């Protein structure tokens, strides 16, 4: 389900005219569609049928507290990677027993906070972290559930910055050392090994890496039983890729990797382990259902090149500058005029501050509004105050209404 469409040449989110929202609330402005998010959640849920599972939403994709409260209310769990995210998840009402905490660099106080919060599992990323966690758990006299994050050396064949499961990446413990880690953990009085975790990357668009990951983990769990260690869950991480190209058609599928195809195949593999399946989707849940609205400040021509300077920059949406990521850019008022190439650039004092280069767009004037599409994930969470710019406001659309879920920042 794609929730953005033109009605009488005006871009709408569900039944809300985005021009009216931008005129009232100002720009830059993030806008999310609730029905889009809920429909994607439903697709994930359906895919599991009645297989035991937990969907743990990855807060790093979007940690707006208004949105998190809705997800927690839907029975979803949380995947967090810092003490700050853990606090946000708890504040939003995610039950601790549905929270997984990964991250290569947890501080002692973050580990203590997670142990005291009695979360589902700390996903441990090194032997040293395992030993520190055991010592803190012993000091607190709290038996702590841990999962070991494996680095399975699997290539998702995606952007190098979004690849996390190759041996050259900093994440997880190599397979050759994982058995030793589990045996050590099982012998500790205050550790309880409950799961195995492997998140191999983000925006994965091929099914093969998923299948390979599931097979490697399942084989391992079965072998570990011979050591007398019975795990409860297998956590395959997040990473479902979204379509940054097709952003409008009603029949469009915002996900490039369909959970309803992939998840049954994964379950077919992991059911031999007898373990519950955990997934940690972030981008796929919210990415396609959010846009960043921005207004044209100035237009200019330089040696045949057209620049459109808008009021949103790399501090509001970093993905184009950081990953050279493509986001479709649409005028809020559709015009059938002849299109010409233009660079859509922000106001930040960096040449790398752009939202789209060489885009075919109709003539644009000062005051025109644009939507940067598919910006719901890794948009606001990567925003900063660079150039001392306040971060944008965020609104949530529900059918024909919207509400502000975060005020515009005041510096
Ligand atoms: C441990 C972990 N889980 C889940 C995710 C979410 O990935 P995605 O937003 O691609 O679904 C990430 C992001 O890289 C991650 O690092």
């Amino acid at each position: 389900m794609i929730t953005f469409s033109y009605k009488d040449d005006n871009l709408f989110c569900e039944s809300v005219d985005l021009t009216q929202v931008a005129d009232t609330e100002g720009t830059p402005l993030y806008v999310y569609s609730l029905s889009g998010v809920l429909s994607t959640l439903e697709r994930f849920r359906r895919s599991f049928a009645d297989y035991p599972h937990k969907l743990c939403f990855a807060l790093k994709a979007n940690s707006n507290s208004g949105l998190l409260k809705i997800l927690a209310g839907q029975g979803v769990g949380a995947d967090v990677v810092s003490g700050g995210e853990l606090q946000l998840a708890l504040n939003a009402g995610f039950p601790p027993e549905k929270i997984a905490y990964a991250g290569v660099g947890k501080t002692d106080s973050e580990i203590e906070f997670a142990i005291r919060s009695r979360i589902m599992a700390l996903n441990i990323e090194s032997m040293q972290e395992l030993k520190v966690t055991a010592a803190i758990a012993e000091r607190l006299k709290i038996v702590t559930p841990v999962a070991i994050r494996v680095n399975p050396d699997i290539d998702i064949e995606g952007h190098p910055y979004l690849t996390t499961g190759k041996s050259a990446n900093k994440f997880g413990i190599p397979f050759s050392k994982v058995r030793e880690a589990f045996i050590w953990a099982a012998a500790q009085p205050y550790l309880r090994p409950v799961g195995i975790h492997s998140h191999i990357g983000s925006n994965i668009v091929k099914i093969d890496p998923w299948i390979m990951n599931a097979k490697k983990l399942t084989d391992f769990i079965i072998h570990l039983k011979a050591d007398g260690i019975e795990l409860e869950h297998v956590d395959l991480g997040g990473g479902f890729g979204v379509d940054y190209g097709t952003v409008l058609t009603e029949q469009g599928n915002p996900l490039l990797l369909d959970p309803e195809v992939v998840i049954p195949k994964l379950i077919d593999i992991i059911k031999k382990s007898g373990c519950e399946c955990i997934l940690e989707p972030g981008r796929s849940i919210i990415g396609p259902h959010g846009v960043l609205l921005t207004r044209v400040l100035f237009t200019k021509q330089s040696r045949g090149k057209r620049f459109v300077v808008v009021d949103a920059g790399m501090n509001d949406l970093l993905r184009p500058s950081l990953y050279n990521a493509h986001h479709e850019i649409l005028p809020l008022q559709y015009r059938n005029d002849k299109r010409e190439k233009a660079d859509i650039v922000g106001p930040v004092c960096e040449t790398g501050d752009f939202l789209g280069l060489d885009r075919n767009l109709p003539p644009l004037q000062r005051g025109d509004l644009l939507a940067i599409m598919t910006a719901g994930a890794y948009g606001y969470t990567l925003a900063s105050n660079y150039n001392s710019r306040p971060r944008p406001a965020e609104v949530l659309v529900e059918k024909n209404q919207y509400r502000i879920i975060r005020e515009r920042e005041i510096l």
Side-chain angles (χ1 to χ4, degrees), residues 58 60-61 79 81 102 149 164 197 199 201-203 237-240 280-284 378:
K60 66 181 75 61
D79 160 56
V81 291
R149 179 169 179 175
T164 56
H197 174 230
H199 168 78
S202 192
N203 211 25
F240 281 82
E280 304 168 345
R283 185 189 306 270
S284 48
Y378 305 101

Side-chain angles (χ1 to χ4, degrees), residues 5 20 23 56 83 96 125 128 215 220 222 259 289 294 303 324 353 389:
S5 59
Q20 281 176 16
D23 285 344
C56 293
E125 306 229 10
Q128 207 170 33
K215 281 187 176 154
F220 180 83
I222 292 167
H289 308 301
T294 183
R303 291 202 176 199
N324 216 2
D353 174 33
R389 287 167 48 82

Side-chain angles (χ1 to χ4, degrees), residues 29-251:
L29 181 74
Y30 277 100
V31 180
Y32 309 108
S33 154
L34 179 61
S35 71
V37 170
L38 296 181
S39 75
T40 305
L41 258 190
E42 191 43 41
R43 283 178 68 188
F44 269 92
R45 287 204 184 106
R46 264 203 311 269
S47 315
F48 283 100
D50 53 7
Y51 194 81
H53 69 277
K54 281 192 193 78
L55 270 183
C56 293
F57 176 69
L59 264 72
K60 66 181 75 61
N62 190 316
S63 55
N64 179 285
S65 60
L67 195 81
L68 294 182
K69 280 182 194 149
I70 291 170
L71 292 175
Q74 289 288 315
V76 171
D79 160 56
V80 302
V81 291
S82 71
E85 283 194 351
L86 176 55
Q87 188 65 65
L88 285 178
L90 294 170
N91 293 351
F94 288 96
E97 65 277 11
K98 288 188 185 172
I99 300 178
Y101 182 0
V104 280
K106 305 177 189 81
T107 64
D108 288 15
S109 62
E110 286 177 315
I111 293 171
E112 178 166 343
F113 176 36
I115 293 174
R116 285 189 189 279
S117 302
R118 295 177 194 266
I119 62 172
M120 173 175 72
L122 279 92
N123 293 342
I124 305 288
E125 306 229 10
S126 66
M127 201 60 206
Q128 207 170 33
E129 183 191 341
L130 187 62
K131 291 188 174 166
V132 169
T133 305
I136 297 175
E138 185 152 8
R139 171 167 58 76
L140 299 175
K141 303 274 176 282
I142 298 174
V143 177
T144 298
V146 291
I148 304 289
R149 179 169 179 175
V150 183
N151 182 319
D153 198 19
I154 293 174
D155 190 358
I156 62 163
E157 294 170 36
H159 191 286
Y161 293 178
L162 298 179
T163 300
T164 56
K166 284 181 71 174
S167 56
N169 305 140
K170 67 181 176 181
F171 300 98
I173 298 181
F175 248 121
S176 56
K177 300 261 172 22
V178 174
R179 178 170 170 256
E180 184 190 323
F182 271 112
I183 290 173
W184 189 86
Q188 306 312 304
Y190 287 94
L191 290 185
R192 192 163 67 84
V194 291
I196 187 158
H197 174 230
S198 171
H199 168 78
I200 54 177
S202 192
N203 211 25
I204 307 171
V205 297
K206 297 185 176 170
I207 191 168
D208 292 353
W210 282 97
I211 300 288
M212 218 184 300
N213 198 23
K215 281 187 176 154
K216 281 191 170 199
L217 296 190
T218 303
D219 286 350
F220 180 83
I221 296 169
I222 292 167
H223 279 114
L224 199 63
K225 286 186 188 181
D227 291 313
I229 301 171
E230 296 259 355
L231 299 183
E232 293 164 20
H233 74 241
V234 48
D235 182 344
L236 295 170
F240 281 82
V242 310
D243 190 349
Y244 283 93
T246 313
V247 292
L248 281 184
T249 43
E250 265 304 307
Q251 307 77 359

Side-chain angles (χ1 to χ4, degrees), residues 28 30 292 311-318 347-348 378-380 382-384 389-392:
Y30 277 100
L292 175 63
D311 65 1
M314 64 190 289
N315 73 295
D316 304 298
L317 180 65
L318 186 59
V348 172
Y378 305 101
Y380 194 98
L382 277 169
S384 75
R389 287 167 48 82
R391 284 175 294 177

Side-chain angles (χ1 to χ4, degrees), residues 328-386:
E328 286 289 302
I329 300 178
L330 300 177
L332 289 207
Q333 264 146 5
Y334 183 79
R335 269 187 257 121
N336 213 1
D337 301 340
K338 189 169 172 291
R339 287 164 180 262
E340 281 171 17
K341 286 220 154 91
D343 284 2
I344 311 299
V345 299
V348 172
C349 294
E350 295 276 349
T351 301
D353 174 33
F354 58 86
L355 298 170
L357 301 177
D358 278 334
R359 296 306 176 83
N360 269 318
L361 284 164
L364 290 166
Q365 290 161 12
R366 175 171 165 80
D368 283 349
L369 288 161
L370 297 171
I372 318 298
M373 305 301 290
T374 327
Y378 305 101
Y380 194 98
T381 46
L382 277 169
S384 75
N385 295 125
Y386 186 41

